[in-house]
Structures are given as structure tokens and as C-alpha cells.
């Protein structure tokens, strides 16, 4: 069967990507547009996402009362809620053990904050990435027990911590609220709630740990209400007010923005926009995020800064920021995280160039999976560098830093290739010292002299990677004229947000437009601003990010006035109370 022709005959754009049109049902698209009184383009976008006339209303206005499941559908949730409620009623001393990434900070802050407002004494523990690694460790668990904790709640970790949790046996109960892929029976604890448990049939595998923790609080509050706790105790919590950090974790952990996650993030963005949480309000102010709040704010403004603390500074700084109620203190912590994030960017840049060079060499050698390594590479940035390699080469990519013969690394995968399962297989076979993860991301620790054998194993387990093109295909949702790229059309597109994994922002192509003017703006000239003119006489402002160098930057700055096909996102931008349409360029080709 012959391969379908490339969109606009672009088989290799300036960045090497093949363009294709997203499959659409013209009849279904037109029916949706007519039934909902929407532009035909929006009908096409909805139909391509599998939305029907019956489901369109809930997709465009996702409400928790429609999508929020009964927490009890998750195995062990009732046991977790009963034990948490028991601890609240007895005013026990509790400890929350959280991971050091955004999801860990958010789920940790959720549990610590709620349990304190219920009247409990609660401490938290976030392990040091460099000294302790991921997840519970025996020394930390023993220390929490010695400090008097009678219940330890592990969030965003714990599902594989069988040995690490042993010091709690007979001293403190343990409740696990996790979402990482499980490879066998969970630890023997009071409750292990994880929609990715092999025996959990809830269908909620797409929840992050903060989503699991939120449902655990819903179930706990329900149990406390059932037993009359609120008649004499504190008032019920407004759990809807916690959705800002649930949304933050969901976006930053790259969970699919469908169903309940779409509702959680949509409502969470509304909560965040009120800036009622001092820590996030301060962080947005420090980061210069003064416009409308979106999933982009969560993923690219707040997330990297909260993550930075766990990567190269104080592991619990992000969690403490989320819990902080004092604006002045929150501002100081936000400024510190912002500074740490800038230092993280410097550390990352120092690793990235060498990692890219190794990636180029491995691609030239025909490797299907990339595994690069370097002495002294900071373990806190290897995951980010792995993401960069995956984006550039369209391959599963692992990056490892070596210190005293031990390699600690992180990997990122492409859709359809389960990296987490491959890493778990390597660990269970005895090749790794430690390792785990999920389909799209994983971490590992290994003797440095076994890295090449690990590389070979990954290629065997992810054999489909070798057949991938060197650059990912760019799927176009439709074509727009420059004159048709209006604020009104941008506002229609925004109705499909929040955008992210599982609901990617639509990519449009502007055919045969010309660049009237282009220049560099922003810090270090990383952004290109361009003014476009269409064959229809329309004018449009455009911008291209992360364009300090590369073929796309060269095309935009040196087009010579020749016609171009430009692919990107259409957005409505507000500046000085004026709203205008703008186009964010992601790829281009000469027409």
C-alpha cells in the first residue's frame, strides 16, 4: 500500500520533519460544527479528538461532578481512608514521605496541609536526590519512627519499597499513595493505593500521585463525616481549593489531559488564577508570569522552578513553598527557587553539548536507543537532558552521570515504547543496582562498567526504536490563511484547552506566507520575532522560542522574502489591554 503523500509535499522540513495531515472525518466534523454552532475548523478539531455531539459539552466544560470517580474504585482506598481518619480522630503524630519532584512536592503538600488542618501534628521528609536517591530508605523510615510517627504516608513513592519500609514494622503503620508502575505484589502495609497496581481495576492509570492523594483526601473526609467528626471537630476542608497543586502535578508529570485529569486541571487553573496560595502567587510574580494562567504556566513557569530545589538544592524547598502561608516568607523562598533554577540551567547547559555530541555519534552508528554518559554529570539534570535528546533525535534517550564507578541516570521515551518496563526488567535481572519508572520516563543506578550491556539490553527490549525516523512526524490539524488567523479563531481554539499530553495543542500551517521583518528579542536573543504577510494581504505577528541557533532560526532570519510554509500554534495575546492574534512557529519549509 503506497505511503500517503506528505502534507504540502513537505517530506523533510527545515528541521527534518515530515508533515502530515491529521486524519479527519469531514462528515462528522461538519455535523459537530453545525450542531454546536461552531466554526468548521473547530468541529474538525473536536472530531479528530474523538469528541461527539453527545460528549462535546462535557469536553468543552469539564466539571468534576461529571468526571470525578468514587475514590473507593481504587483497591485499598477504603483501608487508607479508614486509617487516615483514625489518625485524625486520635490526633496521632504523622509523617509524610514525599518524592523530590513536582508531583512529590504537590502530593506531599496536599497531605501535610490537610492533615494539619484536621488537627494532626505532621512532619514531612523529602530524600536528598544525591545522597539518598529515590523513594523511602531504611534509615529515613527508622528516623521517622524514632521521632514518634505512628503513621507514615508515602506519596509519589513506596510501591516498590519492600525492604525500605521494614523498619516501620511493629512501630508505625504505612499508607502508600503512589502511581508508579508496580512489578509485583505491593509491600505489606496498612494500605497501598496505586491505580497502576497489577490488581487495581479502577481504570485510573493516568492519575499522578497528587491526583491519588486528592482522592484519598476526598475519601478520608467522607469517612470523617460519616463518623460525625465535623460535628464537634474542625470544619470540613474546601478540597476544591487544593486543585491548583493537583493541576500543577498533573501537567508537570505529563499525565494525559483527558477525562478526570482534564477536569482537575481545568478547575485547578481557575483556582491558581485567584492567586490565593501565597507560595505559587510569589513564584508567579518572581517568574514574571502576569498574564492569563494556563497549562503552559504550570508546565513551563512554575514546574521547573519547584523541581529545581529537588534537583540541585534543598530537596523539600518546593514542598515548603506550597505550604507557606506568609507572603514575605513565600517571596523569599520563591526568589531562592528562581535563583536555583537559573543555576540548574547553567549546570544543564554544561552537560547538554557533550550529551548532544554523543547522541549524534550514536545516531550515525545506527543505535535505536541512545545512552550517553559523562563523569561528574549532575544527576539532577540528566532527566532534562534526556528529554532534549529524545526531542531532537526521536529516540528513547538515557543520560547517566558517573561518580566513583557508579552511574546514576534518567531516561525519556517516545510514544509506543515502554521504557519503564525495560528498566524494571533490567533491574529484576540483576543488571541494575536500582531502577524503575513508567512508559515515558525512568531512572536507574548501575555499575558504570555495565552501561554498555545495559545499552544493548534496552535496544533489545525496545527493538521498535531502530525503525523510527530521525525526526518525529509533525501532524498538522489544518491550514489557515494569514487573514483568517484572527483573535476570534484563536479564542475558539482555546476552548479545547488545557493542552498537554493526550490533548496536544493544535498545529496549523500558514501556507505561502512571507516574512516582512524578523529580529531577535529576549534574554540572550533566544526568541525570534517575525511579522508575516499572506498572499491574501493579511498581516500577523509571529514568534519562535528556543531559537538561539539551528536551521529554523536560520530560515526565519534569512528567508530572503521567499514564500514559506510555517507551522505552529495560533494564540490570542493580551498586552496593555489590547488583544491580538499571534502565531508561535514550531517548524517551517520553503514553499
Amino acid at each position: 500500500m503506497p505511503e500517503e503523500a506528505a502534507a504540502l509535499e513537505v517530506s523533510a522540513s527545515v528541521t527534518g520533519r515530515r508533515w502530515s495531515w491529521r486524519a479527519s472525518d469531514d462528515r462528522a466534523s461538519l455535523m459537530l460544527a453545525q450542531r454546536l454552532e461552531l466554526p468548521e475548523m473547530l468541529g474538525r478539531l473536536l472530531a479528530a479528538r474523538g469528541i461527539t455531539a453527545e460528549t462535546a459539552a462535557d469536553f468543552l466544560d469539564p466539571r468534576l461532578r461529571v468526571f470525578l470517580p468514587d475514590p473507593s474504585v481504587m483497591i485499598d482506598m477504603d483501608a487508607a481512608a479508614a486509617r487516615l481518619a483514625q489518625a485524625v480522630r486520635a490526633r496521632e503524630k504523622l509523617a509524610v514521605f514525599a518524592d523530590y519532584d513536582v508531583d512529590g512536592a504537590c502530593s506531599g503538600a496536599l497531605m501535610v496541609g490537610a492533615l494539619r488542618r484536621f488537627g494532626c501534628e505532621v512532619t514531612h521528609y523529602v530524600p536528598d536526590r544525591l545522597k539518598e536517591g529515590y523513594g523511602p530508605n531504611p534509615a529515613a523510615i527508622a528516623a521517622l519512627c524514632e521521632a514518634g510517627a505512628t503513621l507514615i504516608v508515602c506519596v509519589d513513592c513506596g510501591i516498590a519499597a519492600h525492604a525500605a519500609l521494614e523498619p516501620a514494622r511493629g512501630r508505625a503503620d504505612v499508607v502508600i499513595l503512589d502511581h508508579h508502575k508496580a512489578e509485583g505484589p505491593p509491600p505489606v502495609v496498612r494500605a497501598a493505593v496505586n491505580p497502576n497496581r497489577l490488581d487495581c481495576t479502577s481504570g485510573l492509570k493516568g492519575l499522578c500521585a497528587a491526583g491519588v492523594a486528592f482522592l484519598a483526601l476526598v475519601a478520608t473526609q467522607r469517612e470523617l463525616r460519616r463518623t460525625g467528626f465535623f460535628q464537634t471537630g474542625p470544619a470540613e476542608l474546601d478540597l476544591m481549593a487544593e486543585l491548583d497543586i493537583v493541576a500543577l502535578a498533573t501537567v508537570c508529570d505529563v499525565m494525559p489531559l483527558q477525562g478526570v485529569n482534564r477536569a482537575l486541571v481545568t478547575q485547578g487553573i481557575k483556582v491558581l488564577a485567584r492567586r490565593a496560595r501565597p507560595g505559587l502567587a510569589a513564584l508567579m510574580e518572581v517568574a514574571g508570569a502576569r498574564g492569563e494562567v494556563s497549562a503552559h504556566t504550570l508546565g513551563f513557569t512554575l514546574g521547573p522552578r519547584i523541581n529545581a530545589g529537588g534537583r540541585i538544592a534543598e530537596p523539600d524547598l518546593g514542598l515548603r513553598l506550597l505550604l507557606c502561608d506568609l507572603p514575605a516568607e513565600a517571596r523569599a523562598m520563591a526568589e531562592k527557587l528562581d535563583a536555583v533554577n537559573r543555576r540548574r540551567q547553567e549546570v544543564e547547559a554544561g552537560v547538554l553539548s557533550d550529551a548532544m555530541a554523543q547522541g549524534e555519534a550514536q545516531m550515525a552508528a545506527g543505535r535505536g536507543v541512545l545512552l550517553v554518559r559523562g563523569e561528574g554529570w549532575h544527576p539532577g539534570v540528566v532527566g532534562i537532558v534526556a528529554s532534549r535528546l529524545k526531542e531532537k533525535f526521536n529516540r528513547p534517550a538515557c543520560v547517566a552521570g558517573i561518580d566513583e564507578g557508579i552511574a546514576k541516570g534518567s531516561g525519556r521515551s517516545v510514544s509506543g515504547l515502554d521504557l519503564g518496563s525495560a528498566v524494571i526488567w533490567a533491574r529484576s535481572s540483576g543488571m541494575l543496582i536500582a531502577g524503575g519508572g513508567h512508559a515515558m520516563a525512568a531512572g536507574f543506578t548501575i555499575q558504570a562498567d555495565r552501561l554498555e550491556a545495559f545499552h544493548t539490553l534496552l535496544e533489545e527490549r525496545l527493538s521498535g526504536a531502530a525503525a523510527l525516523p530521525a525526526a518525529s512526524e509533525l501532524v498538522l490539524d489544518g491550514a489557515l490563511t494569514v487573514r483568517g488567523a484572527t483573535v476570534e479563531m484563536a479564542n475558539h481554539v482555546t476552548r479545547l484547552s488545557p493542552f498537554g499530553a493526550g490533548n496536544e495543542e493544535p498545529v496549523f500551517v500558514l501556507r505561502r506566507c512571507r516574512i516582512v521583518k524578523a529580529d531577535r528579542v529576549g534574554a540572550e536573543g533566544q526568541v525570534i520575532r517575525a511579522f508575516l504577510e499572506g498572499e491574501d494581504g493579511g498581516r500577523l505577528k509571529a514568534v519562535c522560542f528556543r531559537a538561539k541557533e539551528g536551521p529554523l532560526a536560520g530560515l526565519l532570519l534569512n528567508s530572503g522574502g521567499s514564500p514559506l510554509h510555517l507551522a505552529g500554534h495560533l494564540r490570542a495575546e493580551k498586552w496593555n489591554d489590547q488583544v491580538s492574534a499571534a502565531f508561535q512557529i514550531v517548524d517551517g519549509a520553503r514553499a
Side-chain angles (χ1 to χ4, degrees), residues 34 77 127 190 207 213 241 289 525:
Q34 291 174 342
M77 179 61 87
R190 178 60 72 95
L207 284 177

Side-chain angles (χ1 to χ4, degrees), residues 85 99 155 218 270 307 423 463 551:
D99 187 23
V155 292
V218 171
K270 293 177 183 177
N307 241 341
V423 169
S463 57

Side-chain angles (χ1 to χ4, degrees), residues 33 200 529:
C200 186
R529 177 181 58 186

Side-chain angles (χ1 to χ4, degrees), residues 3-228:
E3 184 180 20
E4 187 177 339
L8 301 180
E9 300 182 350
V10 178
S11 56
S13 69
V14 69
T15 63
R17 304 175 77 177
R18 182 181 188 277
W19 290 4
S20 66
W21 296 113
R22 188 177 302 280
S24 63
D25 183 330
D26 292 341
R27 183 176 177 183
S29 302
L30 184 60
M31 184 192 74
L32 265 175
Q34 291 174 342
R35 287 270 299 269
L36 302 174
E37 298 181 352
L38 298 170
E40 186 177 342
M41 176 66 77
L42 197 59
R44 185 178 305 126
L45 296 175
L46 288 167
R49 284 160 170 73
I51 306 303
T52 66
E54 291 70 33
T55 61
D58 287 335
F59 180 84
L60 295 172
D61 184 20
R63 302 183 182 186
L64 281 174
R65 70 166 178 252
V66 174
F67 289 102
L68 194 68
D70 182 342
S72 298
V73 299
M74 277 189 278
I75 193 166
D76 265 12
M77 179 61 87
D78 288 343
R83 183 61 185 92
L84 286 164
Q86 176 188 336
V88 169
R89 288 192 298 267
R91 296 289 192 270
E92 294 181 49
K93 187 172 183 178
L94 278 64
V96 173
F97 191 106
D99 187 23
Y100 38 63
D101 69 357
V102 176
D103 194 14
C106 291
S107 49
L110 264 176
M111 296 307 299
V112 172
L115 292 168
R116 282 177 179 169
R117 292 195 296 278
F118 280 146
C120 291
E121 180 184 349
V122 189
T123 188
H124 69 263
Y125 190 98
V126 180
D128 185 289
R129 182 190 291 262
L130 298 182
K131 298 175 182 176
E132 299 172 271
Y134 168 79
N137 60 81
I141 296 299
L144 293 175
C145 293
E146 288 163 9
T150 54
L151 174 61
I152 300 171
V153 183
C154 295
V155 292
D156 198 28
C157 59
I159 200 63
H162 296 74
L165 296 173
E166 277 300 312
R169 188 174 302 281
R171 304 171 72 187
D173 286 333
V174 175
V175 167
I176 295 170
L177 304 175
D178 200 357
H179 76 122
H180 289 92
K181 182 169 289 190
E183 53 199 277
V188 179
V189 293
R190 178 60 72 95
V193 184
N194 182 339
N196 286 293
R197 273 180 59 164
L198 300 179
D199 55 352
C200 186
T201 59
S202 65
L204 299 172
K205 294 181 182 294
L207 284 177
C208 66
V212 175
F214 178 79
L215 288 177
L217 289 176
V218 171
T220 300
Q221 182 147 280
R222 181 175 63 187
E223 175 65 13
L224 290 169
R225 186 186 309 120
R226 186 187 67 80
T227 56

Side-chain angles (χ1 to χ4, degrees), residues 30 42 82 159 198 257 292 304 331 355 369 371 439 455 471-472 486 565 589:
L30 184 60
L42 197 59
I159 200 63
L198 300 179
L257 299 188
E292 289 190 15
R331 174 77 186 202
V369 176
L371 196 162
H455 196 171
S472 60
T486 63
H565 299 317

Side-chain angles (χ1 to χ4, degrees), residues 251-513:
V251 171
C252 291
D253 231 40
V254 201
M255 295 294 103
L257 299 188
Q258 301 166 348
V260 64
N261 280 344
R262 179 171 171 80
L264 289 169
V265 173
T266 298
Q267 302 306 321
I269 287 173
K270 293 177 183 177
V271 175
L272 181 62
R274 297 200 289 266
R275 289 169 164 77
R277 189 180 299 272
L280 291 183
L283 197 56
M284 284 193 285
E285 182 67 26
V286 166
R290 298 179 180 86
E292 289 190 15
V293 175
S294 67
H296 188 274
T297 311
L298 300 170
F300 293 92
T301 301
L302 300 175
R305 288 169 171 82
I306 291 177
N307 241 341
R311 290 189 185 280
I312 62 172
E314 302 168 51
D316 70 338
L317 186 55
L319 192 156
R320 287 190 285 117
L321 176 79
L322 296 176
L323 288 173
C324 184
D325 290 326
L326 303 174
E329 186 178 331
R331 174 77 186 202
M333 281 193 279
E335 289 176 347
K336 187 171 186 179
L337 278 172
D338 190 57
V340 168
N341 188 54
R342 289 195 297 273
R343 182 152 55 91
R344 185 271 303 168
Q345 291 170 329
E346 294 169 1
V347 173
E348 176 191 331
V351 173
L352 185 61
S353 58
D354 192 7
M356 282 292 181
Q358 290 186 42
E360 292 275 10
Q362 291 184 14
M363 286 292 290
R367 304 300 297 253
V369 176
L370 307 181
L371 196 162
V372 305
R373 75 294 303 263
E375 287 282 349
W377 285 2
H378 198 297
V381 302
V382 293
I384 304 172
V385 175
S387 292
R388 299 278 188 265
L389 265 66
K390 181 204 75 169
E391 291 169 8
K392 180 172 177 60
F393 299 113
N394 193 39
R395 292 283 190 279
C398 295
V399 180
I402 302 172
D403 183 32
E404 297 183 352
I406 301 296
K408 292 185 178 181
S410 186
R412 299 293 183 269
S413 193
V414 297
S415 180
L417 294 175
D418 190 339
L419 178 61
S421 291
V423 169
I424 290 170
W425 174 270
R427 196 194 78 210
S428 64
S429 70
M431 180 174 287
L432 302 180
I433 298 170
H438 52 77
M440 301 300 286
F444 57 90
T445 303
I446 186 173
Q447 293 283 348
D449 59 7
R450 305 196 73 182
L451 277 170
E452 198 52 50
F454 179 46
H455 196 171
T456 300
L457 181 146
L458 289 176
E459 292 198 297
E460 291 171 353
R461 301 292 298 182
L462 304 174
S463 57
L468 292 170
S472 60
E473 187 172 71
L474 182 64
V475 181
L476 306 174
D477 289 273
L480 294 173
T481 64
V482 172
R483 190 181 295 278
T486 63
V487 171
E488 181 183 18
M489 178 58 74
N491 287 336
H492 280 304
V493 173
T494 299
R495 295 185 64 188
L496 275 64
S497 65
F499 298 122
N503 184 41
E504 286 76 16
E505 186 172 4
V507 178
F508 299 105
V509 62
L510 300 173
R511 306 187 204 211
R512 297 186 60 81
C513 59

